[in-house]
Amino acid sequence: IPTIYQENLMEKISQFVARVFLGQIFLLSGFFKVTGYEATQGYMEAMGVPGILLPLVIAVEIGGGVAVIVGWHTRAMAAGLALFSVTAAVIFHSNFADQMQMIMFMKNIAMTGGLILLALHGAGRLSIDEFRGQS
């Protein structure tokens, strides 16, 4: 196989894998919130966030995660998830006296960095956006 085709194949695969890695954390987090609904709602309320917003949070995480993975409206979805991640970091993980909370804060910030890149550069190959000519 000529090198140019190998590079294009690797680029396509790596873009898809990167989207899976970014999207899966939101997808799984949304599902865990469904299975632990009452506990999550209680935690939100303890942090000053109305528990009534939990269905919206679940929809954002599951819907946004799936959209990023399949590459559908990727730029907008990635931008929205980036804002969501920073907001969650500030509200839920800003107790830096607790090392675990500091790590969770930095995880959210790192995810935001990846999502900003995705918002700027688009889904790339092997995506619905590419298929529709919008990548």
Side-chain angles (χ1 to χ4, degrees):
I1 299 175
T3 305
I4 185 71
Y5 296 116
Q6 290 174 347
E7 290 173 3
N8 287 337
L9 179 61
M10 290 304 296
E11 182 179 332
K12 289 177 184 178
I13 292 171
S14 63
Q15 290 168 338
F16 174 71
V17 169
R19 289 196 328 269
V20 169
F21 285 174
L22 279 170
Q24 60 84 29
I25 196 163
F26 294 98
L27 181 60
L28 292 175
S29 182
F31 281 127
F32 291 146
K33 284 176 177 63
V34 170
T35 60
Y37 195 92
E38 291 81 16
T40 303
Q41 190 174 40
Y43 180 66
M44 287 174 63
E45 289 172 351
M47 299 302 287
V49 177
I52 197 163
L53 295 176
L54 184 53
L56 177 61
V57 169
I58 292 169
V60 166
E61 288 185 335
I62 292 175
V66 169
V68 165
I69 290 168
V70 300
W72 180 73
H73 294 281
T74 307
R75 292 176 189 266
M77 292 296 185
L81 286 174
L83 181 61
F84 176 86
S85 294
V86 168
T87 303
V90 169
I91 293 172
F92 296 105
H93 307 302
S94 59
N95 178 10
F96 295 144
D98 180 343
Q99 184 179 9
M100 184 54 72
Q101 291 303 316
M102 184 178 70
I103 290 169
M104 296 295 283
F105 182 91
M106 296 308 295
K107 175 219 27 132
N108 278 42
I109 298 305
M111 290 184 332
T112 299
L115 290 163
I116 290 170
L117 285 172
L118 194 55
L120 290 173
H121 296 285
R125 313 285 185 202
L126 300 179
S127 67
I128 293 174
D129 288 348
E130 177 72 15
F131 177 75
R132 296 170 59 218
Q134 297 179 353
S135 181

